[in-house]
């Protein structure tokens, strides 16, 4: 069950999107996130949907695979949608006791839902098409100018890449510990929330202990491989900003501009 | 020519009174393949970490290619020369893509990026994992992960590779892959190999077997010399390879076969001769 989580995992493929400069992809992702919050009507989302499908095609990452990443967020999405549905003031369409649905509420909750969906879909392109190590070296390179004012760019990048590397390992371990505790009669999915939360303790403690042990061994293994911080380190894959990056930048910014221009169509809706 | 030399080595962990190693002497010849045997707590793993300066001696010295591990300025050079592979492959892989992981050590050493590519490809070919270079390690079997970990060390171009129970967590197939890789590194690439193991079959493949007990060397010799001391090994609670066990028992029962045979083929040959 825990294996279904795909956020933060790489989808290996030889597409153009995979080969773009990670720095560009990071910056574009930020632009994308900001743009999502500036969308004022459904036309914008329609174009955004088109952009997402185009990206999925260009990146050779199947839509099915992308949508799977939404699954763990289903609860969050439901809560957000319901809250917005019932809590927005406006023209009342339906009322039952304290619950009321307004026209504005429906629009708002649909908006929120779409925002979350596109937020996840869009940003997961970044992690699907960029290996964690390229991603972090992109981050490192973007943060480098700030290292003069004390931002530990290399250390942050290293920690991130290690964290990403160990996500699947620790997920697997959690599954194992859960199975082991179930075999000892732990009831993990019974009782009320408090009981279930308590049942997590015997899972989290061994997980933490093992994570610390792993960290210890990893540190020794890294030192054995001559790791001594970020000074005079070279890279297997040096980052190069190429012509195709400029083309991608123009196309993407163009698409975002179109999406924002859709705000002008707002009156039509 | 000696490549690793431990002289008068004494070592203990900071928070314990018990000495892990005491007045320990060992020299390893260049190009040799040595197996280190011994119980848990006999000091084998500490020794491995003393070899590349992860741990530092309390008394005495360790020299790698003539460099003293206590000299902090030489530490990188020492670690580059003497690579360490550990038991759990999961806990030594740093990157989420195999070729990036293999590149980790050369990157740390500041090797130019074109040469890193060359080293990574060579190292992966050398352990037979080249086709997997773009995969992520958590999709691999234990044996494959361990071979990637070995490639990560090979990419440093070390002269010695120390493997601390590299097969302990693997299934028989994985064991075989890793052992074959070690043999290839030693024979075809001339890398000095030190294999710490509990598996007697693996130890029998080495040129030299060193048995450690309570921080001292108990036995030191060729596999044949060591495993012929059946009684002594059994007394200290160690085993002999299954083939040797069989040949010893046959010999004891009065059959005219040698008491210490290390390979199945040899035993088959001798049994056939008897029949």
């Amino acid at each position: 069950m825990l294996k279904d989580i795909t956020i933060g995992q790489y989808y290996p493929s030889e597409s153009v999107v995979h080969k773009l400069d990670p720095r560009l992809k990071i910056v574009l992702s930020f632009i994308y996130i900001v743009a999502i919050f500036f969308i004022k009507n459904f036309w914008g989302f329609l174009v955004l949907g088109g952009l997402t499908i185009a990206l999925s095609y260009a990146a050779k990452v199947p839509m099915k695979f992308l949508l799977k990443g939404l699954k763990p967020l289903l609860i969050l999405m439901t809560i957000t949608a319901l809250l917005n549905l019932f809590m927005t003031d406006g023209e009342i369409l339906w009322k039952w006791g304290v619950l009321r649905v307004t026209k504005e509420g429906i629009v708002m909750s649909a908006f929120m839902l779409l925002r979350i969906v596109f937020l996840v879909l869009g940003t997961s392109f970044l992690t699907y098409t960029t290996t964690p190590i390229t991603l972090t070296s992109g981050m490192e390179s973007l943060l480098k100018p700030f290292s003069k004012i004390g931002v530990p760019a290399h250390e942050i990048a290293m920690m991130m890449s290690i964290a990403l590397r160990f996500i699947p390992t620790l997920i697997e371990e959690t599954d194992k510990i859960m199975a082991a505790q179930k075999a000892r009669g732990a009831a993990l999915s019974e009782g009320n929330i408090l009981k279930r939360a308590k049942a997590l303790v015997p899972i989290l403690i061994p997980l933490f202990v093992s994570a610390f042990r792993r960290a210890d061994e990893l540190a020794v293994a890294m030192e054995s491989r001559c790791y001594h911080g970020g000074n005079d380190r070279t890279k297997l894959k040096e980052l190069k900003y190429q012509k195709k990056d400029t083309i991608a930048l123009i196309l993407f910014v163009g698409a975002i501009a179109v999406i924002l221009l859709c705000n002008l169509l707002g009156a039509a809706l | 020519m000696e490549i690793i030399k431990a002289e008068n080595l004494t070592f203990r962990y900071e928070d314990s009174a018990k000495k892990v190693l005491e007045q320990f002497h060992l020299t390893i010849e260049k190009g040799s393949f040595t197996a280190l045997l011994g119980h848990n707590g006999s000091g084998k793993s500490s020794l491995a970490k003393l070899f590349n300066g992860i741990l530092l001696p309390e008394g005495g010295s360790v020299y790698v290619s003539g460099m003293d591990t206590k000299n902090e300025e030489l530490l990188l050079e020492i670690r580059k020369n003497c690579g360490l592979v550990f038991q759990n492959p999961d806990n030594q892989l740093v990157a989420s893509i195999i070729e990036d992981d293999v590149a980790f050590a050369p990157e740390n050493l500041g090797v130019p990026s074109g040469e890193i590519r060359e080293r990574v490809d060579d190292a992966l070919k050398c352990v037979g994992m080249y086709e997997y270079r773009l995969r992520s390690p958590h999709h691999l079997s234990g044996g494959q992960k361990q071979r990637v970990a070995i490639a990560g060390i090979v990419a440093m171009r070390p002269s010695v590779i120390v493997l601390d129970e590299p097969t302990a967590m693997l299934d028989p197939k994985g064991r075989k892959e890793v052992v074959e890789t070690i043999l290839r590194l030693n024979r075809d690439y001339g890398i000095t190999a030190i294999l710490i193991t509990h598996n007697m079959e693996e130890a029998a493949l080495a040129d030299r077997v060193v048995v450690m007990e309570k921080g001292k060397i108990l036995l030191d010799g060729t596999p044949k010399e060591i495993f012929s001391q059946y009684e002594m090994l059994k007394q200290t609670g160690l085993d002999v390879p299954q083939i040797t066990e069989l040949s010893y028992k046959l010999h004891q029962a009065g059959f005219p076969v040698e008491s210490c045979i290390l390979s199945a083929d040899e035993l088959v040959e001798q049994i056939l001769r008897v029949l």
Side-chain angles (χ1 to χ4, degrees), chain B residues 55-203:
Chain B
L55 299 176
L56 292 174
E58 185 182 296
S61 308
V62 177
Y63 299 96
V64 175
S65 302
M67 295 176 282
D68 190 336
T69 60
K70 275 182 300 212
N71 187 344
E72 215 164 301
E73 277 162 33
L74 293 174
L75 214 51
L76 275 188
E77 193 59 28
I78 287 168
R79 286 183 184 158
K80 190 184 108 185
N81 249 282
C82 175
L84 230 61
V85 177
F86 298 92
Q87 189 183 87
N88 189 340
D90 266 328
N91 297 353
Q92 33 184 335
L93 301 180
V94 205
S96 312
I97 296 288
I98 286 161
E99 61 174 14
D100 290 338
D101 184 81
V102 177
F104 184 68
E107 285 177 344
N108 290 335
L109 291 166
V111 175
S113 103
E115 200 196 323
I116 298 182
R117 166 56 61 196
E118 200 180 295
R119 284 188 181 205
V120 167
D121 290 354
D122 283 354
L124 281 169
K125 279 176 192 155
C126 162
V127 300
M129 290 296 292
Y130 183 69
E131 304 83 73
Y132 295 86
R133 66 192 179 282
L134 296 175
R135 300 260 196 102
S136 123
H138 76 274
H139 293 304
L140 302 181
S141 73
Q144 290 173 322
K145 277 186 220 173
Q146 196 61 286
R147 283 191 282 156
V148 171
I150 293 174
I153 296 300
V154 171
M156 293 197 293
R157 307 252 159 104
S159 33
V160 190
I161 182 164
V162 183
L163 303 108
D164 189 358
E165 297 186 38
T167 61
M169 297 182 72
L170 307 182
D171 59 6
K173 189 168 164 275
R175 270 170 195 252
K176 200 170 160 243
E177 290 168 7
V178 168
V179 169
E180 277 167 6
T181 309
I182 299 168
L183 282 172
R184 192 163 57 243
L185 287 178
N186 179 245
R187 290 186 188 150
D188 303 347
Y189 293 77
I191 299 176
T192 311
I194 302 174
L195 174 65
I196 296 172
T197 182
H198 281 291
N199 184 309
M200 300 301 151
E201 272 74 24
E202 286 168 15

Side-chain angles (χ1 to χ4, degrees), chain A residues 1-69:
Chain A
M1 53 168 277
L2 285 168
K3 258 185 265 157
D4 294 338
I5 302 174
T6 45
I7 282 187
Q9 278 195 42
Y10 179 64
Y11 186 88
S13 159
E14 297 264 304
S15 82
V16 199
V17 184
H18 283 73
K19 286 182 187 134
L20 291 177
D21 191 312
R23 290 169 294 188
L24 177 78
K25 284 193 266 188
I26 294 169
V27 172
L28 291 186
S29 294
F30 274 111
I31 296 178
Y32 178 94
I33 293 169
V34 173
I36 284 178
F37 288 93
F38 277 102
I39 294 176
K40 294 253 164 50
N41 60 32
F42 289 103
W43 295 111
F45 282 115
L46 204 68
V47 183
L48 196 61
L51 178 66
T52 310
I53 291 167
L55 267 175
S56 137
Y57 184 75
K60 292 182 186 152
V61 180
M63 273 313 274
K64 224 171 83 190
F65 194 77
L66 280 169
L67 291 171
K68 244 174 53 190

Side-chain angles (χ1 to χ4, degrees), chain A residues 110-151:
Chain A
F111 252 72
M112 275 305 179
L113 213 58
L114 282 170
R115 271 185 190 149
I116 296 177
V117 168
F118 281 109
L119 205 61
V120 175
L121 289 185
T123 47
S124 55
F125 271 116
L126 183 64
T127 49
Y128 280 139
T129 63
T130 323
T131 64
I133 225 164
T134 333
L135 190 63
T136 48
S137 71
M139 284 248 183
E140 193 178 350
S141 162
L142 285 173
L143 284 175
K144 208 161 222 164
F146 300 102
S147 64
K148 285 202 183 75
I149 56 162
V151 177

